[in-house]
Amino acid sequence: MVVVGAGMAGVQTAVALREQGYAGPVTLLGAEPHAPYDRPPLSKAVLLGTAEGSAFDVDFDGLGIGLRLGVAVTGVRPAEHLVDTDAGPVPYTALVLATGAEPLALPGTQDHPAVHLLRTLDDAARLRPVLADRRTVVVVGAGWIGAEFATAAREAGCQVTVVEAADRPLAGALPAEAAEPMAAWYAGHGVELLTKVAVSRVEDHGVRLADGTLLPADAVVVGIGARPATGFLADSGIALDPHGAVLADGLLRASVPDVYAVGDCASFPSARYGRRLLVHHWDNALQGPRIVAAALAGGEPAVYDPVPYFWSEQFGRFVQYAGHHAPEDRLVHRGDPRDAAWSLCWLSPSGSLRALLAVGRPRDLAQGRRLIASGTPLTPSLVSDPAVPLKSATT
């Protein structure tokens, strides 16, 4: 077995193979030179210098997992069952693609010394002096990573401005009813948020906006999204979806024999939501490998159709989201978004809970996640009462 990618999805796949009884050779290929590590702490403890790293507590030698670091994969030849790397070809019986996603760069800034991305341990290491010196920072993009970095930078004492092309934070992830209340969080923590503003270019001393304004900046952090890290699959014959993700089936199998895909680099069909999902979050990288490992270890095949889940810590708030919402779903407010704790629920036309956003209400999230999985119809008037436990809002 060969697993490409030594992030959460790749490590979990290799470990799960052993846990489920596979005794043959397992090789784990990682492009970075560092021991495999968890990514969420990069925008928090590692960035602020309160932790040196976030390496997984896995005894690869003890598990008999052949860990090869600093090996970049350059291609796959399915007909020959070979993975091409910069260290030479690697044969496989079965291949698991777990290469994750790569952040989008701001055009024209790839080699600019003041421009930073935040995806890897090296990225966080380069940004730590920026925070330690309390410099002036412009963040491009008010998504999840932009908000988390802005939170850490303010905690470190930096002057922070966030620039967002859309009319609100998280415009690509949440509707206005959910995202607009979050705009006030920025000002409440001393962060200037500029919306409906486009970046023209990054100059030596700051960020030039499309209207000509120059925002002074010692450093620029770009958080404008990510795409599946699948460029090496060109000409492999492995089918990709329009987003560039591996087009996996319900068992997370790719379009060619003996190849699977997990985590951020793969999309999968969801019967629960009636559409294909591409989930760029930690929980997906934790759950999918168990399905793949069971199939490869000879277990009973199981269809992968999870309730997507993610969380974010920003501006003193713990934000959690479960499920997947669509325009036809009914939005029900549960508490006042101006308060410290509130939730939003999306109900299907039949009344079942499809998705839930919880701010400071972890019990809503825990109960809501189970209700989404069960498909139990709910009574909207009870859902809208924050004093009523969600589990008691059933019809």
Side-chain angles (χ1 to χ4, degrees), residues 111 149 338 391:
D111 298 319
F149 175 81
R338 293 171 296 182
K391 64 181 182 181

Side-chain angles (χ1 to χ4, degrees), residues 25-281:
V26 176
T27 299
L28 179 61
L29 304 177
E32 295 183 54
H34 310 289
Y37 59 88
D38 203 7
R39 294 190 188 277
L42 296 184
S43 60
K44 306 172 185 72
V46 175
L47 189 61
L48 289 169
T50 57
E52 288 303 315
S54 54
F56 293 117
D57 184 16
V58 175
D59 183 359
F60 294 100
D61 289 338
L63 290 171
I65 297 170
L67 178 60
R68 296 182 59 185
L69 300 175
V71 177
V73 173
T74 58
V76 176
R77 288 181 274 167
E80 300 170 66
H81 278 58
L82 288 175
V83 176
D84 289 316
T85 79
D86 57 3
V90 178
Y92 67 84
T93 300
L95 174 66
V96 181
L97 302 172
T99 48
E102 54 192 8
L104 297 174
L106 198 62
T109 65
Q110 286 86 340
D111 298 319
H112 197 295
V115 176
H116 301 261
L117 300 171
L118 182 52
R119 181 70 179 177
T120 69
L121 190 60
D122 288 339
D123 292 337
R126 283 190 289 267
L127 275 166
R128 280 171 65 169
V130 172
L131 272 62
D133 293 344
R134 300 183 177 182
R135 300 179 189 175
T136 299
V137 181
V138 170
V139 180
V140 181
W144 301 110
I145 194 65
E148 291 186 2
F149 175 81
T151 299
R154 281 300 297 149
E155 185 176 333
C158 296
Q159 180 180 331
V160 183
T161 301
V162 178
V163 177
E164 171 57 51
D167 61 351
R168 61 186 186 274
L170 295 165
L174 297 173
E177 296 92 337
E180 285 178 352
M182 297 177 177
W185 300 355
Y186 289 74
H189 279 71
V191 175
E192 184 178 13
L193 173 64
L194 304 177
T195 58
K196 296 189 285 188
V197 173
V199 171
S200 175
R201 61 187 179 275
V202 176
E203 300 181 357
D204 290 341
H205 303 291
V207 175
R208 182 74 63 180
L209 304 181
D211 64 4
T213 302
L214 178 66
L215 299 178
D218 300 310
V220 179
V221 177
V222 178
I224 56 174
R227 62 187 170 210
T230 56
F232 67 97
L233 295 177
D235 303 321
S236 68
I238 296 173
L240 306 179
D241 71 11
H243 301 284
V246 176
L247 199 68
D249 67 8
L251 301 178
L252 298 181
R253 297 175 300 193
S255 61
V256 299
D258 303 321
V259 178
Y260 294 73
V262 292
D264 293 3
C265 72
S267 66
F268 57 90
S270 171
R272 186 191 314 279
Y273 292 104
R275 65 199 69 197
R276 180 167 286 274
L277 298 182
L278 174 59
V279 181
H280 281 186
H281 294 295

Side-chain angles (χ1 to χ4, degrees), residues 315-341:
F315 306 117
R317 293 165 172 84
F318 188 45
V319 183
Q320 295 173 283
Y321 178 92
H324 178 80
H325 64 270
E328 65 268 19
D329 295 329
R330 176 182 179 182
L331 180 61
V332 178
H333 290 259
R334 184 171 169 81
D336 190 337
R338 293 171 296 182
D339 294 338

Side-chain angles (χ1 to χ4, degrees), residues 1 12-27 60 62-66 293 297:
M1 305 292 180
Q12 288 297 319
T13 300
V15 171
L17 281 166
R18 293 301 189 221
E19 290 177 344
Q20 300 194 38
Y22 178 74
V26 176
T27 299
F60 294 100
L63 290 171
I65 297 170

